[in-house]
């Protein structure tokens, strides 16, 4: 896919608007926790705090079901059919078995090992959280905000076909991002509010924002393709 600077600037403007803007579809529409910054603060932030307290959380799940509902609303995902309570309980097991043992080492992994781990975690999250590989959308979007230090590429509902392979999708995103990297890396980072100033270090030391841009570009390309098709041929 050939990408122009104009397309990348459009994607960056879209994501910068979302960074500090609450999603109108959750609660009163004014909850800052449903902004991208708020989701990172709630999900990754809780992981970081838990890692300093031996992954204990007073008998509660490490990631509350409310945060999962916020993620679902903010990213306009389909609600999990098993319910947020069950997903939160399953996520607790996933975190303790898959993420907690390696959390302190994620920043130190070699480049290829980081990509392989990212693929494996998304595939395992699909099975652990939902019992099916058909939920890569929710699993990848969740891990994007839980583990921003890993090269997770989020999937949208339009991208997951019946024979979808996250491993193949990950490699496609990685290849395309490498082609676009000079232009992607030239884009300004979002404005940080005082309440989320701690995320500045995360954004500068990881490629999280660049990956968000790349997946936004792919979403824009899909939307443009859909808009150009006759109405009767568009996806439901």
């Amino acid at each position: 896919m050939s990408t122009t600077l104009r397309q990348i600037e459009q994607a960056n403007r879209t994501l910068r608007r979302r960074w500090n803007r609450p999603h109108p579809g959750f609660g009163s529409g004014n909850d800052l926790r449903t902004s991208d910054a708020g989701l990172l603060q709630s999900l990754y932030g809780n992981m970081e705090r838990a890692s300093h307290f031996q992954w204990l959380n007073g008998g509660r799940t490490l990631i509350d079901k409310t945060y999962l509902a916020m993620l679902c609303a903010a990213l306009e995902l389909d609600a999990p059919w098993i319910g947020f309570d069950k997903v939160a309980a399953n996520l607790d097991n996933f975190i303790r078995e898959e993420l907690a043992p390696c959390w302190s080492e994620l920043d130190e992994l070699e480049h290829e090992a980081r990509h392989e781990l990212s693929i494996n975690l998304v595939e395992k999250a699909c099975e652990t959280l939902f019992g099916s590989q058909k939920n890569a959308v929710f699993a990848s979007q969740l891990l994007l905000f839980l583990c921003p230090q890993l090269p997770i590429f989020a999937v949208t509902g339009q991208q997951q076909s019946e024979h979808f392979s996250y491993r193949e999708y990950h490699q496609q995103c990685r290849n395309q991002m490498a082609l676009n990297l000079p232009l992607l890396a030239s884009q300004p980072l979002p404005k940080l509010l005082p309440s989320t100033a701690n995320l500045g270090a995360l954004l500068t030391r990881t490629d999280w924002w660049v990956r968000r841009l790349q997946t936004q570009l792919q979403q824009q390309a899909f939307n443009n393709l859909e808009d150009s098709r006759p109405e009767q041929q568009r996806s439901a």
Side-chain angles (χ1 to χ4, degrees):
M1 177 179 69
S2 176
T3 306
T4 66
L5 177 59
R6 182 177 179 180
Q7 291 169 324
I8 290 175
E9 289 174 339
Q10 178 187 348
N12 200 48
R13 286 193 298 270
T14 298
L15 291 182
R16 281 167 63 89
R17 285 194 299 269
R18 289 178 53 174
W19 177 253
N20 289 316
R21 182 177 295 179
H23 194 278
F26 185 86
S28 65
N30 297 311
D31 196 326
L32 275 173
R33 293 176 298 175
T34 60
S35 65
D36 276 10
L39 291 174
L40 262 183
Q41 191 89 295
S42 298
L43 296 171
Y44 168 71
N46 267 15
M47 292 288 288
E48 266 295 281
R49 281 190 291 274
S51 71
H52 295 295
F53 292 95
Q54 292 76 50
W55 302 95
L56 301 175
N57 197 31
R60 302 184 300 275
T61 56
L62 293 167
I63 301 298
D64 190 82
K65 64 179 181 181
T66 303
Y67 295 149
L68 299 179
M70 288 178 178
L71 178 80
C72 194
L75 301 182
E76 300 180 357
L77 308 177
D78 292 334
W81 65 273
I82 60 175
F84 291 115
D85 283 293
K86 182 61 173 176
V87 175
N90 291 346
L91 178 59
D92 221 50
N93 294 331
F94 175 79
I95 290 173
R96 296 181 190 282
E97 293 177 8
E98 303 294 343
L99 294 178
C102 64
W103 185 260
S104 62
E105 304 169 0
L106 294 184
D107 288 322
E108 302 171 6
L109 291 175
E110 294 182 356
H111 188 70
E112 291 302 321
R114 291 161 56 78
H115 282 279
E116 186 63 26
L117 178 60
S118 298
I119 294 168
N120 290 338
L121 286 175
V122 171
E123 293 177 342
K124 287 179 180 177
C126 289
E127 293 291 347
T128 302
L129 302 187
F130 309 105
S132 170
Q133 285 294 323
K134 296 182 179 180
N135 290 278
V137 175
F138 199 111
S140 63
Q141 296 279 9
L142 174 59
L143 283 172
L144 176 72
F145 285 89
L146 277 181
C147 307
Q149 66 274 58
L150 284 178
I152 306 288
F153 289 101
V155 185
T156 68
Q158 297 92 337
Q159 292 164 322
Q160 184 169 1
S161 62
E162 182 180 356
H163 303 292
F164 176 85
S165 164
Y166 183 75
R167 179 172 293 276
E168 293 177 1
Y169 171 78
H170 182 98
Q171 189 60 51
Q172 291 169 1
C173 291
R174 186 179 174 186
N175 293 343
Q176 193 62 49
M177 194 175 84
L179 293 174
N180 294 331
L181 190 56
L183 294 178
L184 292 171
S186 71
Q187 295 300 298
L189 294 173
K191 179 181 179 181
L192 297 171
L193 298 178
S195 59
T196 57
N198 61 306
L199 297 177
L202 175 72
L203 293 182
T204 55
R205 80 169 190 268
T206 71
D207 64 354
W208 189 86
W209 189 255
V210 172
R211 282 182 282 114
R212 286 285 280 156
L213 271 177
Q214 179 56 48
T215 51
Q216 178 64 25
L217 282 171
Q218 293 173 206
Q219 184 62 51
Q220 285 178 183
F222 176 86
N223 292 342
N224 292 337
L225 179 63
E226 284 289 281
D227 290 343
S228 68
R229 296 169 62 187
E231 185 173 351
Q232 62 270 25
Q233 295 180 9
R234 296 179 189 176
S235 299

